[in-house]
């Protein structure tokens, strides 16, 4: 079985703003022209978030640009998209979200075996000092790499 994965959109900001604890893969309910637009890579999840309502899971703010040749068949680019997860997983996520500080964020959108998927992260919000620590660690790593490069040349 060949498992081909084509990345459409990535949410780097999620890793900056949250501690991602668990990841889930969900299908996305899309209309024809949205799929074509996504295949061209015209999707953004930077400002999107995920909610669970009435035992169903939805993605808000996921922007899928209208397909150029779609004319009347194009849907609203920011329409709410239903996500497909197993009942057991949704119930588990509902329990986790009920805890203080947990939220659901989309991490990436991709095609796996021709089907549009979204990777959902169960995340806990970072405080400002956590973000500062991450930035400091990155700077330290960058400095170390720079010094190593200089030593390798010299």
């Amino acid at each position: 079985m060949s498992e081909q994965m084509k990345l459409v959109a990535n949410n780097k900001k999620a890793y900056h703003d949250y501690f991602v604890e668990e990841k889930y893969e969900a299908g996305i309910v899309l209309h024809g022209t949205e799929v074509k637009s996504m295949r061209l890579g015209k999707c953004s999840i930077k400002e999107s978030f995920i909610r669970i309502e009435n035992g169903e899971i939805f993605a808000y703010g996921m922007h899928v640009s209208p397909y150029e040749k779609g004319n009347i068949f194009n849907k609203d680019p920011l329409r709410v998209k239903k996500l497909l997860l197993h009942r057991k997983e949704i119930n588990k996520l509902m329990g986790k979200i009920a805890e203080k500080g947990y939220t659901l964020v989309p991490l990436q959108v991709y095609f796996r075996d021709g089907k549009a998927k979204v990777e959902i992260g169960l995340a806990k919000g970072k405080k400002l000092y956590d973000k500062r620590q991450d930035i400091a660690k990155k700077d330290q790593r960058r400095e170390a790499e720079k010094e190593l490069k200089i030593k390798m040349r010299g």
Side-chain angles (χ1 to χ4, degrees):
M1 189 173 126
S2 67
E3 226 178 71
Q4 297 167 320
M5 198 173 120
K6 181 185 175 248
L7 189 66
V8 177
N10 205 348
N11 191 357
K12 291 178 187 164
K13 192 174 166 221
Y15 291 102
H16 182 265
D17 294 342
Y18 302 97
F19 292 115
V20 178
E21 295 185 6
E22 290 179 41
K23 294 178 183 178
Y24 296 89
E25 183 182 74
I28 314 171
V29 176
L30 295 171
H31 292 280
T33 55
E34 289 177 317
V35 176
K36 289 182 177 195
S37 186
M38 262 194 184
R39 286 199 193 283
L40 296 173
K42 301 202 169 152
C43 176
S44 171
I45 54 172
K46 277 189 178 71
E47 301 297 317
S48 61
F49 59 96
I50 294 170
R51 278 204 186 130
I52 298 176
E53 295 168 359
N54 304 326
E56 292 182 334
I57 191 163
F58 296 95
Y60 290 83
M62 184 189 287
H63 188 280
V64 178
S65 299
Y67 183 58
E68 291 102 45
K69 300 179 183 88
N71 55 45
I72 60 164
F73 299 106
N74 280 331
K75 300 286 183 206
D76 175 29
L78 288 172
R79 87 179 170 84
V80 178
K81 288 153 189 72
K82 185 176 175 181
L83 302 179
L84 307 170
L85 266 176
H86 291 284
R87 170 72 44 218
K88 202 168 24 173
E89 289 177 314
I90 293 174
N91 291 340
K92 185 179 174 185
L93 287 171
M94 281 169 64
K96 289 279 192 180
I97 290 174
E99 290 178 36
K100 191 173 184 285
Y102 279 102
T103 186
L104 290 174
V105 289
L107 301 174
Q108 58 185 10
V109 175
Y110 53 90
F111 280 97
R112 173 170 283 151
D113 294 330
K115 293 175 179 69
K117 303 282 185 183
V118 62
E119 187 176 59
I120 299 169
L122 179 67
K124 200 173 188 110
K126 281 186 183 178
K127 302 278 188 271
L128 187 61
Y129 58 84
D130 289 327
K131 290 181 192 176
R132 285 196 193 121
Q133 283 176 340
D134 280 359
I135 291 168
K137 281 179 192 170
K138 269 186 197 165
D139 287 345
Q140 282 178 334
R141 195 172 64 238
R142 209 173 286 131
E143 287 295 320
E145 285 174 6
K146 191 187 262 184
E147 285 177 24
L148 190 67
K149 258 186 193 171
I150 292 168
K151 285 179 184 175
M152 295 290 255
R153 285 185 186 153

